[in-house]
């Protein structure tokens, strides 16, 4: 229902299948294998999880982002996100549904320059589905654009939105 959407911003996602460039499966496996003993402090639990994730998730910023999902429940540390559901449905999550009717409004595809998720090979499909799309990259940002380059991200979003 494109008439319900005034403008669209897609952050580091293209309307294509992204499974081939994704390391998410390895990240999920690493998160599932994290072991934290009961009764440790929050800071100790985060440090233990960080140490265990480091071999698979090399980028410190990405590890820190993943660690925001580590929570204490009844004295045990668990992941807030349902890793089982995500791992069983990762292909569905990483795919983009097939649409035939384009979205006619303004669209911004805002990617990180260090991320593979919006590629020049995706431009034809972006243009087909979003004919008024503008593709921009934030220099030095990875997939978690808003965390890597917060001020630049906010500036790009505010520049795209209409003035109040």
């Amino acid at each position: 229902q494109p008439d319900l959407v005034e403008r669209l911003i897609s952050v580091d996602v293209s309307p294509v299948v992204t499974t081939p460039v994704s390391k998410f499966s390895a990240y999920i496996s690493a998160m599932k294998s994290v072991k934290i003993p009961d009764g440790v402090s929050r800071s100790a639990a985060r440090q233990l999880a960080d140490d265990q994730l480091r071999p698979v998730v090399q980028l410190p910023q990405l590890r820190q982002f993943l660690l925001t999902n580590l929570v204490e429940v009844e004295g045990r540390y668990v992941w807030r996100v349902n890793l089982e559901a995500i791992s069983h449905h990762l292909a569905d999550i990483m795919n983009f549904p097939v649409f035939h009717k384009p979205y006619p409004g303004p669209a911004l595809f805002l990617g990180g320059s260090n991320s593979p998720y919006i590629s020049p090979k995706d431009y034809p499909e972006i243009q087909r589905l979003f004919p008024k799309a503008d593709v921009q990259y934030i220099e030095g940002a990875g997939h978690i654009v808003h965390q890597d380059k917060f001020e630049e991200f906010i500036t790009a979003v505010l520049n795209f939105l209409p003035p109040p």
Side-chain angles (χ1 to χ4, degrees):
Q1 297 181 340
D3 53 316
L4 299 177
V5 179
E6 180 183 330
R7 295 172 174 263
L8 182 138
I9 300 175
S10 174
V11 180
D12 212 47
V13 176
S14 282
V16 298
V17 175
T18 56
T19 304
V21 296
S22 172
K23 296 179 182 176
F24 289 163
S25 181
Y27 298 162
I28 291 166
S29 293
M31 291 170 73
K32 288 166 71 172
S33 69
V34 166
K35 302 288 184 249
I36 300 171
D38 293 349
V40 300
S41 69
R42 177 176 163 77
S43 61
R46 286 179 62 94
Q47 186 60 56
L48 286 167
D50 187 48
D51 292 344
Q52 292 174 55
L53 291 174
R54 186 174 290 115
V56 177
V57 185
Q58 281 96 26
L59 288 173
Q61 312 92 296
L62 181 54
R63 281 197 315 277
Q64 291 308 308
F65 180 74
L66 295 176
L67 288 171
T68 63
N69 290 288
L70 187 64
V71 295
E72 183 182 2
V73 176
E74 299 175 5
R76 297 182 59 233
Y77 286 90
V78 297
W79 296 104
R80 176 189 346 243
V81 293
N82 186 337
L83 294 175
E84 283 302 318
I86 292 171
S87 65
H88 284 93
H89 299 282
L90 191 58
D92 296 323
I93 294 168
M94 300 305 289
N95 285 330
F96 192 84
V98 175
F99 288 103
H100 300 289
K101 186 176 175 185
Y103 169 71
L108 172 63
F109 282 77
L110 185 59
S113 67
N114 297 338
S115 173
Y117 292 102
I118 300 177
S119 165
K121 67 179 177 34
D122 304 336
Y123 294 174
E125 187 65 358
I126 290 171
Q127 285 295 276
R128 182 183 78 78
L129 291 171
F130 305 92
K132 294 183 182 174
D134 181 22
V135 178
Q136 296 177 18
Y137 295 92
I138 295 183
E139 193 61 39
H143 180 60
I144 310 171
V145 182
H146 64 282
Q147 178 181 349
D148 293 349
K149 296 288 184 170
F150 180 76
E151 290 181 21
E152 294 89 337
F153 173 80
I154 294 297
T155 299
V157 168
L158 290 176
N159 287 339
F160 176 71
L161 297 175

